[in-house]
Amino acid sequence: MKEYKNWLMKEHDFEISDKTQNYYDLVTGRIKEDFVKTNFWNELISNLHEYNDEYLLKTGYNLLITYEPQIHIKEFDSFLMKTFRKNILENKNWPKRPSDGWALPNNWYSKINDIVRTLFVVKYLDGVDFFVGKLKELSDQKNLSCNSFDVFFEAREEGYYAAHTYVSHKFEIPKIDWDTKKINISIEIQITTQLQEVIRKLLHKYYRERRKRYKKEDIKWQWNPQSDEFVANYLGHILHYVEGMIVDIREKQMKEI
Amino acid sequence: MKEEQKKYLNSVGIKTNALIGRITDLLELCKKIVGEEPEDILIGEYQDEDGIRQYEYIDLYTKSYLFGIKDFIKRNFFLITPSNRRIHRITFKAENYDFTEATTTSKLTVGASTSSGDLNEMKATGSNCDHLLKIIYKYYKPFLEY
């Protein structure tokens, strides 16, 4: 990260300092504060029981684990690491700018789409798609001022399965000179299953360390049963398979009824 | 759906359009099959280990019939019995309930068996215990016969 900070200074005349982090904390705190006041968020929270009961009527089972999702702010170090991955590690045009442009202080709050995020945990695998559908419907409502809605059904080699949805709104954030500006910022809403959430919590520390590593390993993890990745990653895949089987059995039971 | 029926459903946690809609459909079905408007509703339910109500069945009481649907969330499997059938015995099992006013921890299970040996077991928790007791007094106790 020291080299990345030097690169930012040398190539883009930007110094990462305590002031940068303080400003980040101020902006992201404001985004979170304003997001919970949006019509979109309030409508979503008030609709959760309705979504649950629609799913209940459809499948005979409850949709959600909890009706009180927490909203999290990405830590500054993780945020900076993400800009590093975007600008350098995953930049196919390196040393030229990435195809969608550099993530720099003048635009990185708009470019990084998971600075503020929340998580919904559903009981069953098909609940993920169901809930994504509800979010899409909600984002389409004109009175809720969503500028855009995107969804990515993540199915990663590392055994990570979740839907990542992004709703963007215009937020007014403070500028460095204490004036304000309005920019489009995406809020990430993750949806995952109960079992995947258990795995995430168990392996969270491991995933975080792995994201910090940027040196490729010599042996592929799939051929290295002694590696940490082997157990963790396959556990994620196995659980996803098991969750698929659970839905299949549940559907067969419904048909028998 | 009558206002007091809706109020009752809200009191047992049935508030969403999805579930109210489902029960409205069942009320219409009952009226279509037995030819009478349901006067009273009883939701049979219990609370799971997380304190969440699990709905087991719905009983619709018309003037002459009991229209019961087990597992009403998922199924349309119902039975009809005449409301003036002879009740042989009524059993009560209560927990944290004084038969006057229920609390949030009250539980009541009532079994009503007919002279032909059929048993109707009804369960309620919280304020639903008071409602279940009213149903017993109105639709079961008057038909207790030796």
Side-chain angles (χ1 to χ4, degrees):
Chain A
M1 282 309 284
K2 194 178 166 190
E3 285 133 332
Y4 178 57
K5 288 177 187 177
N6 288 340
W7 174 83
L8 278 171
M9 186 68 213
K10 189 182 164 194
E11 299 297 325
H12 299 285
D13 195 28
F14 185 80
E15 187 188 1
I16 302 288
S17 65
D18 288 344
K19 194 177 167 189
T20 321
Q21 177 156 358
N22 291 341
Y23 178 64
Y24 175 84
D25 292 342
L26 180 68
V27 168
T28 55
R30 179 69 181 269
I31 295 168
K32 179 183 170 181
E33 222 176 87
D34 288 351
F35 179 63
V36 299
K37 291 178 192 162
T38 59
N39 290 337
F40 174 84
W41 181 251
N42 285 298
E43 189 82 2
L44 174 60
I45 297 302
S46 65
N47 284 353
L48 289 180
H49 285 278
E50 193 68 53
Y51 298 159
N52 184 80
D53 288 350
E54 281 179 35
Y55 182 82
L56 177 65
L57 284 176
K58 194 178 157 197
T59 65
Y61 293 89
N62 284 313
L63 172 69
L64 291 164
I65 300 294
T66 175
Y67 293 85
E68 290 168 11
Q70 302 298 307
I71 299 186
H72 301 281
I73 296 174
K74 201 179 201 59
E75 286 174 15
F76 180 69
D77 288 344
S78 295
F79 169 79
L80 201 59
M81 176 62 71
K82 189 152 185 175
T83 67
F84 168 62
R85 286 201 303 275
K86 258 187 155 357
N87 287 332
I88 316 286
L89 285 186
E90 294 161 11
N91 178 7
K92 291 184 170 66
N93 297 338
W94 176 260
K96 291 183 183 167
R97 61 197 277 281
S99 46
D100 61 347
W102 298 113
L104 294 172
N106 63 341
N107 67 7
W108 61 18
Y109 291 106
S110 292
K111 273 205 173 296
I112 305 300
N113 58 11
D114 62 347
I115 297 172
V116 174
R117 70 185 191 284
T118 188
L119 171 70
F120 286 89
V121 182
V122 297
K123 286 193 156 191
Y124 297 95
L125 189 61
D126 60 346
V128 175
D129 188 51
F130 179 88
F131 196 76
V132 167
K134 290 298 165 191
L135 287 177
K136 173 86 177 69
E137 267 174 37
L138 198 64
S139 71
D140 285 342
Q141 285 183 40
K142 287 190 174 24
N143 62 328
L144 299 181
S145 14
C146 286
N147 296 325
S148 68
F149 177 84
D150 287 304
V151 57
F152 299 92
F153 285 92
E154 300 285 348
R156 299 182 191 165
E157 192 185 83
E158 312 88 77
Y160 175 78
Y161 292 90
H164 288 193
T165 67
Y166 301 92
V167 287
S168 89
H169 293 260
K170 236 180 185 56
F171 290 93
E172 191 163 357
I173 62 168
K175 294 201 282 193
I176 282 273
D177 59 2
W178 301 109
D179 195 358
T180 61
K181 60 179 176 180
K182 283 187 180 169
I183 57 171
N184 273 333
I185 294 172
S186 287
I187 307 294
E188 183 181 77
I189 301 174
Q190 295 177 1
I191 307 113
T192 193
T193 61
Q194 195 173 11
L195 286 180
Q196 286 288 336
E197 173 57 4
V198 166
I199 282 293
R200 268 156 74 110
K201 282 185 174 152
L202 279 175
L203 302 174
H204 172 71
K205 227 169 116 176
Y206 165 73
Y207 287 141
R208 202 168 54 184
E209 290 306 313
R210 189 173 59 193
R211 274 200 295 272
K212 285 182 188 169
R213 273 190 269 130
Y214 43 84
K215 194 183 152 194
K216 265 194 165 172
E217 303 293 336
D218 293 329
I219 309 170
K220 280 191 173 183
W221 64 265
Q222 292 93 331
W223 290 102
N224 189 3
Q226 272 76 47
S227 67
D228 293 336
E229 273 129 326
F230 191 89
V231 172
N233 295 353
Y234 276 122
L235 196 53
H237 287 300
I238 288 166
L239 281 180
H240 190 71
Y241 173 76
V242 166
E243 288 188 305
M245 291 296 100
I246 289 170
V247 169
D248 192 44
I249 290 166
R250 193 196 71 196
E251 293 295 302
K252 281 175 179 149
Q253 275 183 349
M254 277 289 276
K255 282 184 184 146
E256 279 165 21
I257 288 165
Chain B
M1 187 184 290
K2 294 179 199 168
E3 201 48 47
E4 71 244 30
Q5 289 173 339
K6 197 168 182 188
K7 208 173 154 189
Y8 164 65
L9 292 175
N10 287 168
S11 76
V12 294
I14 294 176
K15 296 176 185 178
T16 61
N17 293 332
L19 285 186
I20 297 280
R22 169 67 177 150
I23 292 170
T24 304
D25 289 344
L26 293 174
L27 290 168
E28 291 298 314
L29 180 66
C30 172
K31 189 177 167 188
K32 188 176 175 182
I33 302 282
V34 307
E36 290 176 353
E37 193 86 46
E39 289 175 9
D40 287 294
I41 302 174
L42 173 69
I43 300 284
E45 46 79 24
Y46 67 93
Q47 289 185 23
D48 65 17
E49 61 269 13
D50 297 320
I52 297 169
R53 270 194 164 113
Q54 301 295 325
Y55 304 114
E56 284 197 310
Y57 61 84
I58 184 170
D59 284 341
L60 304 176
Y61 294 87
T62 73
K63 193 172 163 211
S64 315
Y65 302 100
L66 159 60
F67 187 93
I69 308 135
K70 266 191 172 7
D71 208 5
F72 68 94
I73 298 282
K74 292 183 273 200
R75 308 199 287 180
N76 273 347
F77 178 71
F78 56 88
L79 57 85
I80 305 169
T81 54
S83 56
N84 63 353
R85 66 262 179 269
R86 277 164 58 182
I87 303 294
H88 177 61
R89 175 167 49 217
I90 305 175
T91 58
F92 294 83
K93 185 179 161 191
E95 232 179 275
N96 299 325
Y97 184 50
D98 63 2
F99 293 87
T100 305
E101 195 177 347
T103 66
T104 52
T105 59
S106 298
K107 288 181 190 175
L108 182 64
T109 304
V110 180
S113 42
T114 64
S115 50
S116 57
D118 294 327
L119 171 69
N120 188 13
E121 192 176 73
M122 294 157 278
K123 290 183 197 170
T125 64
S127 61
N128 201 22
C129 298
D130 292 336
H131 185 79
L132 171 54
L133 202 58
K134 280 189 195 143
I135 294 286
I136 297 300
Y137 288 153
K138 187 172 176 184
Y139 294 101
Y140 292 86
K141 186 164 167 275
F143 302 102
L144 260 176
E145 283 181 41
Y146 182 66

